[in-house]
Amino acid sequence: MTKILTVDDEDMILEVLEAYFEKEGWEIILASNGIEALRKIKEDHPDIIILDLMLPDISGEEVCRLTRKESDVPIIMLTAKSSEDDLINGIVIGADDYITKPFSPREVIIRVKAILRRVNKLAQRNELSFNNGNLKADLIKKEVELGGQLLSLTPIEYKLLVTLASYPGRVYSRLDLLEKIQEDGAFFEGYERSIDTHIKNLRKKVEKDSRQPEYILTVFGMGYKFGGTPDAVDTSF
């Protein structure tokens, strides 16, 4: 059963979403503040999180940032902030989607189902493929091919590529990437700006022109994202 953690300090919002989620047959976990949310994330391991940004103790942004150190669980942010900068910041710190208040509960259901479909497809995959098979990553063999040719990547380059390619379009800061590498158990030495060096070396191997990349893209002032177009998911394996 899908477990959804809903975090909001407004009882009415919790009650409404709980009623709608129950109709979908989902298991509902509720939290009214950030500290409680972080505890339930560790204890209950939800499949998706609905997270309000304006919480009474610590901000939703901080909850998201701390969660991303431990987990890639999908996060949908609820926010009364509607400026472009606020919404971009939410995505940059690790949110998968956002919904602006006031909202329709049916919109939340649709967004949740869309993310769950994507996550379930990713879980079934043992290969990532982009741009009509031009770039492929075999997640079992831990090998990457470009144009049918096997690439010689260092362990850090491979982990950086797979991290970015697993969520095309998601922006990762340098610190995000550094923490992800460390979580995966790799030895890493140096300041987070050292990520730039690894990205530069990775681009030399996967890009036709590293000065005009199509896969490893720089988001100025924020970090990096993956720009390849995913191929259709094959769920036959």
Side-chain angles (χ1 to χ4, degrees):
M1 179 184 294
T2 298
K3 293 194 292 185
I4 299 187
L5 171 61
T6 305
V7 186
D8 202 298
D9 62 339
E10 296 184 46
D11 291 339
M12 184 178 68
I13 289 179
L14 291 178
E15 291 170 4
V16 169
L17 291 179
E18 182 178 20
Y20 274 81
F21 291 166
E22 283 181 344
K23 290 180 181 179
E24 296 294 328
W26 297 333
E27 180 180 342
I28 299 97
I29 308 165
L30 303 177
S32 58
N33 60 64
I35 298 299
E36 184 181 13
L38 291 171
R39 177 174 60 80
K40 291 190 174 182
I41 290 168
K42 288 185 177 181
E43 294 178 354
D44 297 318
H45 305 290
D47 298 300
I48 192 167
I49 300 170
I50 312 297
L51 176 62
D52 184 30
L53 291 187
M54 305 296 289
L55 298 174
D57 48 1
I58 61 176
S59 69
E61 288 98 336
E62 182 67 6
V63 173
C64 182
R65 189 185 67 79
L66 292 172
T67 300
R68 278 289 169 261
K69 288 186 174 182
E70 307 291 337
S71 171
D72 280 327
V73 59
I75 297 174
I76 299 177
M77 287 186 166
L78 300 179
T79 174
K81 303 176 180 178
S82 58
S83 76
E84 183 178 5
D85 287 344
D86 289 325
L87 300 178
I88 289 175
N89 183 61
I91 300 300
V92 168
I93 62 176
D96 296 86
D97 201 353
Y98 60 84
I99 298 175
T100 304
K101 294 182 177 181
F103 58 83
S104 162
R106 287 182 294 177
E107 179 186 3
V108 179
I109 296 292
I110 291 171
R111 299 285 188 97
V112 168
K113 287 183 175 180
I115 288 178
L116 289 175
R117 281 196 300 270
R118 187 179 76 222
V119 170
N120 288 337
K121 286 180 179 179
L122 283 172
Q124 296 176 39
R125 305 185 76 175
N126 56 27
E127 179 184 80
L128 299 175
S129 180
F130 300 91
N131 293 22
N132 297 317
N134 183 59
L135 180 66
K136 293 182 179 181
D138 187 319
L139 304 181
I140 304 300
K141 296 180 180 179
K142 298 187 183 300
E143 294 178 345
V144 177
E145 289 186 0
L146 180 68
Q149 299 296 314
L150 192 65
L151 297 180
S152 178
L153 301 182
T154 68
I156 287 179
E157 290 166 358
Y158 173 81
K159 288 170 183 172
L160 284 174
L161 178 61
V162 170
T163 295
L164 292 166
S166 293
Y167 296 92
R170 176 188 285 186
V171 179
Y172 288 84
S173 69
R174 293 173 179 83
L175 183 58
D176 290 335
L177 294 173
L178 177 57
E179 290 175 343
K180 182 62 178 176
I181 290 171
Q182 290 175 326
E183 287 171 11
D184 287 347
F187 176 81
F188 190 88
E189 198 174 67
Y191 182 59
E192 64 186 78
R193 283 278 179 178
S194 297
I195 287 291
D196 293 345
T197 299
H198 294 292
I199 291 291
K200 181 179 179 180
N201 292 336
L202 179 59
R203 279 178 172 158
K204 290 179 179 178
K205 298 177 181 180
V206 303
E207 305 287 3
K208 291 181 180 179
D209 183 353
S210 60
R211 294 170 297 180
Q212 295 182 316
E214 58 179 320
Y215 292 117
I216 312 300
L217 307 181
T218 298
V219 182
F220 292 102
M222 297 180 184
Y224 299 99
K225 69 177 182 179
F226 190 80
T229 301
D231 296 331
V233 176
D234 180 3
T235 58
S236 62
F237 37 73

